[in-house]
Amino acid sequence: MEISKIAIGAMRMKDRRSGVKTLRAAIDAGFNYIDTSPCYCRQDEKENSESWVGEAVNHSDYRERVMVSTKCTPGDGGRGLGEFQPQGGFSVRTSDQLKQVFSQSLKRLNLPRVDYYHLWTTHTREQFKEAMKPGGWYEGVMAHNDKWDHLGITTHADPETVIDFLKTGKFETVTMPLNVTDTTRLKVVEYCADKGIKVIAMNPLAGGFLAGHEELKELALRYLMLLPNVHPIIGFSSVEEVEYAQWIQKTMPKYKHGATEILKRVNELMDTDDPRCTACGYCRPCPAGINIGEALAYYNAYKYMGIKQAKKTFNAKQWDANLHLNKCTACGKCEKKCPNNLPVRQIIKKACEILYDK
């Protein structure tokens, strides 16, 4: 079974009843890949995303029509390692810990096996090295290779690091942030197209804030639909959201604009004479570890488009060191590389003044 163009994210469901209804509606719409994890929607051992996904697919012929993916991580969800947290699937760094968490997921899902298993939230080379050490995550997951079909990786790392992860040849899919306001990882998309690796685009609506602008919401989904080998994963929370995504997919054959035109229109929506970062990514790498284009996308949306949710989303995602604009040392290396000769240090200073909660 090939992954459908639109994939199902299972991290934004409201409760068991509406979650199961929404998941089944998404499967009925033809979306055939579900992404869950031990910590999504977790209230307790009974009420959590994995158990809700299990109820949704263990009914009628739904299991036959959908692929289920879950995951765990050697890290703490951010860029550290942390202490073992089996309930949420964090800091899984030994084969025995992997066995415990993997078995926990199968029990919650009420499934004998899954279709995909992911090395989750692996953002740094240190975390990846930890996963691959003898007796670690990878050795543990390979000991259970009769209970999964495909292996993937989920990461927020910079493009060069992501490509290095993929060069190991261990992964068939990569799940990473990609949307109209953050195109900094298109280099990875090109690499994956050449190597036959599926790209699952998370944050298609930039953590949800693009949904606050009707035209941007449509452009954001259509942009990803136009990219070959890219599968936007949408965190559905209602049947109405499924129906909207289904409408996007059904109307794509008649859609007359290309991906480049969409990006141009997004830039037009941010109508300003101010020098503005376009997230081209040429300033990488930043000595402070900041993904400048990705971080400034929130600033652009908040300041130039009036999307208030962008600031809230930015602050909520400060677990991601790629977004730590306040760690900028004003070294100026980004300005020397910027193809548009932008005063990047000045822009970052203004962004920090506006975005960070006082």
Side-chain angles (χ1 to χ4, degrees):
M1 187 185 302
E2 288 293 318
I3 299 177
S4 56
K5 184 63 177 180
I6 293 176
I8 307 165
M11 71 174 294
R12 300 186 186 278
M13 297 180 290
K14 299 171 184 176
D15 52 51
R16 177 182 288 271
R17 183 174 177 274
S18 66
V20 169
K21 182 179 179 181
T22 299
L23 290 170
R24 289 178 181 167
I27 297 169
D28 288 337
F31 310 150
N32 69 4
Y33 176 96
I34 298 179
D35 171 86
T36 184
S37 87
C39 85
Y40 291 168
C41 310
R42 188 177 184 280
Q43 301 169 26
D44 53 41
E45 195 56 31
K46 180 181 178 181
E47 301 301 333
N48 54 71
S49 176
E50 286 183 320
S51 66
W52 299 347
V53 168
E55 180 175 335
V57 303
N58 283 296
H59 176 74
S60 186
D61 65 343
Y62 284 95
R63 183 67 186 103
E64 300 170 11
R65 292 188 279 145
V66 71
M67 294 176 286
V68 176
S69 171
T70 192
K71 53 209 176 188
C72 68
T73 174
D76 59 4
R79 296 173 71 87
L81 293 175
E83 298 296 324
F84 182 43
Q85 300 177 45
Q87 295 84 359
F90 296 111
S91 304
V92 180
R93 301 205 296 278
T94 71
S95 56
D96 286 343
Q97 290 173 346
L98 185 284
K99 179 180 180 180
Q100 179 181 341
V101 173
F102 188 82
S103 298
Q104 171 186 267
S105 289
L106 292 182
K107 181 179 179 181
R108 290 177 180 174
L109 289 162
N110 192 25
L111 294 175
R113 63 198 319 277
V114 292
D115 302 281
Y116 282 80
Y117 202 73
H118 273 236
L119 177 58
W120 183 34
T121 63
T122 301
H123 310 314
T124 69
R125 295 178 189 276
E126 179 188 17
Q127 290 172 333
F128 189 83
K129 183 178 180 180
E130 187 71 16
M132 298 298 156
K133 72 181 183 182
W137 185 96
Y138 183 73
E139 188 172 301
V141 82
M142 291 306 294
H144 295 81
N145 62 3
D146 60 327
K147 295 182 179 178
W148 53 265
D149 294 323
H150 309 281
L151 201 61
I153 185 169
T154 300
T155 177
H156 288 246
D158 63 83
E160 290 75 18
T161 300
V162 176
I163 290 173
D164 283 345
F165 292 164
L166 298 176
K167 283 181 177 178
T168 62
K170 299 182 185 302
F171 307 104
E172 297 179 56
T173 66
V174 58
T175 303
M176 63 182 189
L178 181 65
N179 59 67
V180 288
T181 61
D182 176 18
T183 57
T184 57
R185 296 179 179 85
L186 284 178
K187 182 178 179 181
V188 181
V189 174
E190 295 173 3
Y191 176 86
C192 289
D194 183 57
K195 301 298 181 180
I197 299 170
K198 297 289 186 183
V199 175
I200 299 173
M202 66 167 124
N203 296 336
L205 297 174
F209 78 76
L210 294 180
H213 188 291
E214 279 301 313
E215 184 177 1
L216 257 184
K217 178 172 73 171
E218 180 179 346
L219 291 173
L221 294 181
R222 292 199 186 279
Y223 172 72
L224 294 173
M225 295 292 286
L226 287 165
L227 298 182
N229 197 46
V230 172
H231 304 262
I233 186 162
I234 303 175
F236 295 117
S237 61
S238 69
V239 172
E240 289 74 22
E241 290 174 358
V242 172
E243 291 171 345
Y244 182 82
Q246 190 176 25
W247 171 75
I248 289 286
Q249 180 165 272
K250 285 182 176 179
T251 54
M252 284 306 298
K254 295 182 179 180
Y255 191 68
K256 298 179 180 180
H257 304 291
T260 301
E261 292 176 273
I262 288 178
L263 293 180
K264 181 179 179 181
R265 176 56 184 159
V266 171
N267 282 327
E268 290 173 353
L269 289 171
M270 298 185 188
D271 185 24
T272 177
D273 292 327
D274 291 350
R276 181 177 61 80
C277 173
T278 59
C280 68
Y282 285 103
C283 60
R284 295 189 313 266
C286 167
I290 306 166
N291 186 326
I292 296 172
E294 182 177 5
L296 288 178
Y298 295 88
Y299 171 66
N300 291 339
Y302 182 84
K303 183 175 181 181
Y304 301 120
M305 302 190 69
I307 302 177
K308 303 303 180 185
Q309 186 62 35
K311 178 176 179 178
K312 295 179 182 178
T313 304
F314 176 81
N315 280 279
K317 294 187 71 174
Q318 285 300 293
W319 58 265
D320 184 354
N322 288 313
L323 303 181
H324 286 181
L325 280 177
N326 57 354
K327 300 297 184 182
C328 173
T329 63
C331 68
K333 290 185 178 180
C334 51
E335 292 184 358
K336 293 177 182 178
K337 298 177 184 177
C338 179
N340 298 314
N341 297 312
L342 297 176
V344 183
R345 287 175 290 183
Q346 181 182 344
I347 295 172
I348 290 175
K349 182 179 179 181
K350 289 181 179 179
C352 286
E353 292 172 354
I354 288 176
L355 288 180
Y356 283 103
D357 291 329
K358 306 300 181 184

